[in-house]
Amino acid sequence: MMNWCRKELAINAGASQKASRLTLLKLGMALGMTLGRQACLVTTCLALLAHTASTKAVASGINAATQDLINASSSSSVIAVPVSAFSTYPSSLVVRQCEENTLTESALENSACQEDIIAPDTFIDALRESSFFSSLHPYEEKSDYQLLIANVSNENAHLAEITLQWRSMEIASHVLQVNVPKISQNGKAHYAAELVAQWRDLAIKQNLFSASYLYQALDASNYERELVVPQTVGEFKKLDTQLYADPFSGAITRYVHPTYEEALLDIIVYPFTHKLSKENNLLLNEQLKADLEKAGEIAKAQELTLTLANPAAPYKSKGEENGWRLGIAAQSEKSPTLYATTYVFRKHDKIIKIATTFPADFSDPLVDELMQNVDVPKESVLMRSIRELL
């Protein structure tokens, strides 16, 4: 189980400022931003953009509108996601480790373990020069991922504690060490680079920036093991299932038609951020309302006229509890009519959202078949902890 205590990011931190520590409470405030990102997963927005998505994006199972939400694996040599970097105080663990490694009693009495012998900016420079990050933001609180660096030195070694956080929640922490005598001014950049290189190798080996690692570290649902979806739905074939970079956005599975390239069916499964007692009809209608608003924005930007082919209303799927359905059409004088039909259901603490790029007359039978063959993970430790704060 994850450690809920993590280091708070310093606002407008300078090179000499450090972050302090606090508890999980900040996570609840972050959920508002997360909900905003849910609005245009692949639902109605996908249908409106399906005809403009690149061939490469469609072939890989990721629509252009959602590609930025899919996490790149850190097994590559460059991390594509934005990462903020900060200096922080060393933990009691690394201070104790430093003191235990001090060679002489006199050195220990003279406070041999000193902080920031290597200046924070020297580590920032080492991170930049490593070319490990394509988007590094020192001292800026603007990224989901935050890297916190503390360093202490004794008479024969230098230790760096590098902690990785996601939205201020600690997901990994490593203590690196180089055994050297007193570091000269000219050697500081070299040893900072060596410590960063040690951490980079661990990050790649442990896949620290992958969605799979993030979900596991946060005790989020295990979609890779517990999400059950069929290989085929009617004539549609499963193309791929992928995790979003955001655990609150869950997983997406795409189905494609062997004959009609524009015909797409997506199923998105994600947790709702309300108490389990939330009334179903209200909960499901909220999901469609958010999608319709986003679809309206996209239609306006593309100079399309949006109409409701099937206004949001309850929908009964065979063998399942009541869901909700929304059908829209987008028209213009310059292009064929675009259709999108979106269905939402609830199972356990998850929303099951099914989106198609064709009218309800064709979608309904497929959704009925799909819902008889779908199972989703139950409430995760992460969501249970969050709901206790609601």
Side-chain angles (χ1 to χ4, degrees):
M1 184 173 178
M2 66 170 290
N3 178 7
W4 290 117
C5 296
R6 83 275 188 221
K7 301 159 188 174
E8 181 184 15
L9 298 180
I11 299 176
N12 297 323
S16 63
Q17 290 182 292
K18 296 188 177 183
S20 59
R21 301 172 184 264
L22 47 70
T23 62
L24 174 67
L25 295 178
K26 193 173 180 182
L27 174 62
M29 299 190 302
L31 290 180
M33 295 186 294
T34 303
L35 291 175
R37 297 180 185 184
Q38 293 277 10
C40 185
L41 292 181
V42 192
T43 53
T44 48
C45 302
L46 177 137
L48 289 175
L49 293 176
H51 290 266
T52 59
S54 68
T55 303
K56 181 178 180 181
V58 172
S60 65
I62 308 172
N63 182 268
T66 61
Q67 194 165 3
D68 61 328
L69 290 178
I70 302 293
N71 193 13
S73 169
S74 69
S75 60
S76 67
S77 59
V78 178
I79 299 303
V81 297
V83 178
S84 297
F86 295 87
S87 173
T88 190
Y89 295 105
S91 68
S92 57
L93 174 66
V94 73
V95 171
R96 185 165 61 251
Q97 184 174 336
C98 176
E99 291 176 345
E100 290 173 351
N101 289 342
T102 300
L103 293 180
T104 65
E105 184 176 345
S106 60
L108 182 58
E109 292 175 352
N110 293 325
S111 301
C113 289
Q114 301 179 49
E115 295 181 27
D116 292 343
I117 293 296
I118 299 179
D121 275 350
T122 305
F123 278 99
I124 295 299
D125 291 341
L127 289 172
R128 286 197 182 102
E129 292 171 5
S130 72
S131 300
F132 189 42
F133 301 104
S134 63
S135 183
L136 183 67
H137 304 280
Y139 314 119
E140 295 182 21
E141 193 172 356
K142 58 188 293 186
S143 308
D144 282 344
Y145 281 98
Q146 305 109 19
L147 202 61
L148 308 184
I149 303 175
N151 73 96
V152 293
S153 301
N154 59 31
E155 62 179 0
N156 70 308
H158 191 85
L159 295 81
E161 182 180 36
I162 302 183
T163 301
L164 182 63
Q165 296 185 150
W166 185 83
R167 296 187 187 173
S168 299
M169 292 181 291
E170 182 176 320
I171 62 174
S173 187
H174 297 88
V175 177
L176 302 316
Q177 180 172 326
V178 289
N179 296 318
V180 294
K182 185 176 180 181
I183 300 176
S184 67
Q185 187 65 33
N186 295 334
K188 292 180 180 180
H190 170 76
Y191 292 115
E194 183 175 335
L195 290 164
V196 166
Q198 289 183 31
W199 175 83
R200 177 184 178 277
D201 291 343
L202 287 171
I204 293 174
K205 182 178 180 180
Q206 298 177 14
N207 226 7
L208 293 188
F209 289 87
S210 68
S212 295
Y213 184 93
L214 177 64
Y215 282 47
Q216 181 178 359
L218 295 180
D219 283 323
S221 291
N222 189 331
Y223 294 93
E224 295 172 316
R225 187 191 317 174
E226 299 175 12
L227 175 63
V228 177
V229 294
Q231 292 297 314
T232 61
V233 182
E235 296 183 3
F236 285 77
K237 296 182 179 180
K238 176 184 171 183
L239 180 63
D240 197 12
T241 296
Q242 295 194 27
L243 297 175
Y244 283 99
D246 182 345
F248 302 109
S249 296
I252 172 176
T253 302
R254 169 159 292 185
Y255 293 86
V256 296
H257 196 280
T259 305
Y260 304 103
E261 186 178 283
E262 293 85 3
L264 304 172
L265 186 154
D266 287 341
I267 175 170
I268 307 102
V269 178
Y270 59 93
F272 56 83
T273 51
H274 298 284
K275 285 189 174 294
L276 296 178
S277 58
K278 177 103 174 182
E279 200 275 323
N280 253 19
N281 283 334
L282 180 60
L283 175 67
L284 297 178
N285 191 25
E286 286 177 354
Q287 313 303 310
L288 294 182
K289 182 179 179 181
D291 286 344
L292 182 59
E293 290 175 354
K294 191 64 179 180
E297 295 173 5
I298 294 176
K300 182 178 180 180
Q302 296 190 6
E303 298 181 345
L304 300 170
T305 301
L306 195 67
T307 58
L308 291 177
N310 303 95
Y315 177 80
K316 179 70 174 180
S317 176
K318 293 180 180 178
E320 292 293 333
E321 296 182 2
N322 289 338
W324 276 66
R325 180 186 67 188
L326 169 69
I328 64 173
Q331 301 168 314
S332 75
E333 297 178 356
K334 301 178 182 179
S335 60
T337 301
L338 302 176
Y339 293 96
T341 310
T342 305
Y343 306 76
V344 286
F345 302 89
R346 170 185 172 175
K347 192 164 188 178
H348 307 314
D349 76 323
K350 302 294 189 296
I351 296 295
I352 300 174
K353 185 176 290 187
I354 303 170
T356 74
T357 58
F358 34 90
D361 289 346
F362 300 98
S363 298
D364 287 354
L366 296 171
V367 171
D368 292 344
E369 176 186 344
L370 183 59
M371 285 302 297
Q372 295 180 62
N373 297 284
V374 170
D375 199 8
V376 303
K378 295 182 179 179
E379 184 183 31
S380 66
V381 173
L382 172 65
M383 292 309 303
R384 192 180 307 123
S385 300
I386 291 173
R387 290 191 177 100
E388 291 175 356
L389 301 175
L390 297 178

